[in-house]
Amino acid sequence: MKNQRMLDELTELMRIDVSSGQEMEIADCLAAKLEQMGFSITRDEAGATFGGVCGNVLAVREGERDSVVCFCSHMDRVPGGIGIKPVEEDGILRSSGDTILAADDLSGVAAILEGVRQAIESGKALPKLEILFTVGEEAGLYGAKAFDVSLLTSKTMYVLDSPGRIGRIVNGAPGRALLEAQVFGKAAHAGNEPEKGIDAAKIMAEMLATMETGRLDENTTSNFS
């Protein structure tokens, strides 16, 4: 059965113009919604770390049970997220065709909001709830990198930012390590004293020739550029 309230909220959020570093309007909207559900709101200055205007939003609601759980999603979207006009066709939500839909990751945001709302409306005793909405995810996880995790009391965080069937859980994700090397050559007269020169291009080529590239094992790939 379709949850019309969640669909309406999702399309409401999609219509808000957002880009990485420009999340203030949607952050204000989400903070207001969470305050209406009894959450206290704090924000940080994560945006300043990458030229953005908005920080992460942390919402906390004290619970009746002796436990804590945290939910997380990001507020920004990839380029093309301005002027979105979501339309529903045959039970499928689409953009009007000239923009993205911003389901990444507003579907996660809307699921968190509706899930928490329904839990509160159930009247059951709930654990302490912590909700973190981050900025700059699509630009390089800047909000998450800048967030002070000591502000969280939860030992478990559910990040709603993955496609697939409902109930699918991802417990690992790709990582990347970068190694940058610079080789400085030394000029020498090619006729009088070539042995005093240092050929930086040759040295770099010899270094690269010793490096394994491609698929190193089942979980690791390597390349250079």
Side-chain angles (χ1 to χ4, degrees):
M1 182 176 66
K2 182 171 70 176
N3 185 322
Q4 189 64 44
R5 180 173 65 179
M6 184 168 65
L7 177 62
D8 292 343
E9 186 165 62
L10 176 59
T11 56
E12 171 198 351
L13 297 174
M14 287 175 170
R15 292 187 179 96
I16 299 175
D17 289 343
V18 179
S19 61
S20 294
Q22 302 293 324
E23 299 96 342
M24 187 65 76
E25 185 176 354
I26 195 166
D28 290 343
C29 176
L30 294 175
K33 290 176 179 291
L34 290 165
E35 284 180 326
Q36 291 177 353
M37 288 187 273
F39 285 82
S40 59
I41 307 296
T42 58
R43 306 194 195 193
D44 61 19
E45 301 297 325
T49 65
F50 67 104
V53 300
C54 180
N56 300 310
V57 174
L58 174 62
V60 178
R61 183 182 185 274
E62 297 300 329
E64 300 79 33
R65 290 164 47 191
D66 187 21
S67 57
V68 192
V69 65
C70 181
F71 296 97
C72 178
S73 184
H74 64 88
M75 298 181 286
D76 64 318
R77 57 190 70 157
V78 297
I82 306 299
I84 295 175
K85 301 178 181 64
V87 294
E88 186 179 357
E89 298 177 348
D90 300 324
I92 299 175
L93 194 62
R94 309 179 187 275
S95 73
S96 56
D98 53 354
T99 67
I100 64 169
L101 182 61
D104 180 7
D105 191 23
L106 287 181
S107 57
V109 172
I112 291 172
L113 292 176
E114 181 62 17
V116 169
R117 191 178 286 118
Q118 289 191 25
I120 294 172
E121 291 173 349
S122 73
K124 297 179 180 179
L126 301 177
K128 178 181 179 181
L129 298 174
E130 297 175 329
I131 296 177
L132 176 62
F133 291 136
T134 62
V135 297
E137 192 271 353
E138 299 290 0
L141 293 171
Y142 289 112
K145 291 175 183 176
F147 180 69
D148 181 2
V149 294
S150 69
L151 297 175
L152 299 175
T153 58
S154 174
K155 302 300 182 183
T156 303
M157 173 186 284
Y158 297 94
V159 182
L160 277 66
D161 188 15
S162 175
R165 61 178 177 80
I166 294 175
R168 175 175 178 264
I169 296 177
V170 178
N171 60 9
R176 182 177 65 168
L178 298 177
L179 175 64
E180 181 176 327
Q182 290 182 302
V183 179
F184 297 93
K186 181 179 179 180
H189 193 283
N192 293 335
E193 48 183 12
E195 64 280 352
K196 292 185 178 181
I198 298 176
D199 189 336
K202 180 174 181 292
I203 293 172
M204 181 62 77
E206 291 173 345
M207 292 170 55
L208 295 178
T210 67
M211 296 175 57
E212 293 186 56
T213 58
R215 186 170 297 281
L216 305 186
D217 57 42
E218 183 180 354
N219 299 311
T220 310
T221 63
S222 173
N223 60 65
F224 53 80
S225 59

